[in-house]
């Protein structure tokens, strides 16, 4: 009777140890995987602004900050900054190497309500990038397809407060 009890106790302890080890490994893997987004495409200096939403922020002395989010597919990163004139600039950096300065893909879109629009993918810092400007904080879902590259980002869920505060601070004048 003692041997089966020892065997059963040992088996249960082994199962507990395996389960605990697997849970620890999985937790550490998720943590490391999420933090790898801070260095996506070799970038550095990014910090979490809202980790649950995947929003990152980068502050560099002498410059206005930028915010970005790495896509779930890890195929691109959406980046929004605010210019010194208060406009918003959007960039979609695709994880695709290219020759610096090249215009890689272009297409003309036609709409009954708007004049023809040329969409271009540029090569910036060795990565393909699509750009757009807004006069106010973007509040829409930014999606598109240029050449073989597609993106979809819910900018209406982003909190642009840090960009707006930095901009207002940069243009404030003491009276």
């Amino acid at each position: 009777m003692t041997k089966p009890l020892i065997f059963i106790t040992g088996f249960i302890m082994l199962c507990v140890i395996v389960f605990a080890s697997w849970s620890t490994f999985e937790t550490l893997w998720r943590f490391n995987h999420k933090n790898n987004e801070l260095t996506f495409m070799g970038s550095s200096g990014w910090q979490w602004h809202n980790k649950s939403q995947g929003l990152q922020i980068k502050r560099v002395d002498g410059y206005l900050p930028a915010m970005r989010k790495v896509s779930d597919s890890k195929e691109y990163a959406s980046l929004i900054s605010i210019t010194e004139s208060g406009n918003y600039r959007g960039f979609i950096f695709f994880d695709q190497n290219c020759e610096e300065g090249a215009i890689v893909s272009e297409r003309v879109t036609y709409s009954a309500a708007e004049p023809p629009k040329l969409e271009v993918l540029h090569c910036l810092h060795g990565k393909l990038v699509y750009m757009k400007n807004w006069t106010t904080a973007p509040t829409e879902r930014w999606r598109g397809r240029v050449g073989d590259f597609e993106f979809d980002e819910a900018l209406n869920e982003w909190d642009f407060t840090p960009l707006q505060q930095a901009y207002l601070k940069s243009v404030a004048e003491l009276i």
Side-chain angles (χ1 to χ4, degrees):
M1 185 78 171
T2 312
K3 285 186 180 183
L5 187 58
I6 292 172
F7 177 74
I8 292 172
T9 305
F11 180 74
I12 291 173
M13 287 177 56
L14 180 62
C15 289
V16 168
I17 290 169
V18 168
F19 178 75
S21 297
W22 178 255
S23 294
T24 302
F25 169 77
E26 194 175 58
T27 301
L28 291 174
W29 183 84
R30 269 194 227 120
F31 179 77
N32 186 47
H33 181 70
K34 196 70 175 163
N35 281 334
N36 281 340
E37 289 182 15
L38 295 174
T39 58
F40 183 68
M41 289 195 285
S43 192
S44 63
W46 292 96
Q47 299 174 341
W48 289 113
H49 170 63
N50 184 325
K51 195 171 185 177
S52 65
Q53 287 185 309
L55 290 175
Q56 304 169 15
I57 191 161
K58 185 173 187 176
R59 292 181 173 90
V60 177
D61 287 340
Y63 296 95
L64 291 171
M67 296 178 71
R68 79 170 184 175
K69 182 176 181 181
V70 176
S71 69
D72 291 337
S73 65
K74 307 293 186 267
E75 293 176 1
Y76 62 88
S78 308
L79 186 145
I80 303 290
S81 63
I82 192 166
T83 66
E84 292 177 1
S85 62
N87 292 323
Y88 291 78
R89 289 184 301 194
F91 302 87
I92 302 291
F93 284 92
F94 293 99
D95 194 14
Q96 178 74 40
N97 294 331
C98 55
E99 186 177 329
E100 190 69 29
I103 296 176
V104 178
S105 178
E106 60 185 56
R107 116 188 137 123
V108 178
T109 57
Y110 296 94
S111 168
E114 297 178 17
K117 180 179 166 187
L118 181 66
E119 292 184 329
V120 179
L121 285 176
H122 297 275
C123 187
L124 185 65
H125 302 295
K127 297 292 181 187
L128 289 177
V129 64
Y130 177 72
M131 296 177 260
K132 183 175 179 175
N133 292 306
W134 296 270
T135 55
T136 60
T139 58
E140 76 260 1
R141 187 162 200 93
W142 187 24
R143 61 177 71 158
R145 181 179 187 95
V146 182
D148 294 333
F149 300 93
E150 194 170 352
F151 60 93
D152 184 1
E153 185 56 55
L155 296 178
N156 54 327
E157 297 174 1
W158 288 35
D159 175 15
F160 294 108
T161 304
L163 299 183
Q164 294 160 342
Q165 289 173 338
Y167 170 72
L168 292 174
K169 186 177 177 183
S170 74
V171 296
E173 294 182 26
L174 295 175
I175 299 175

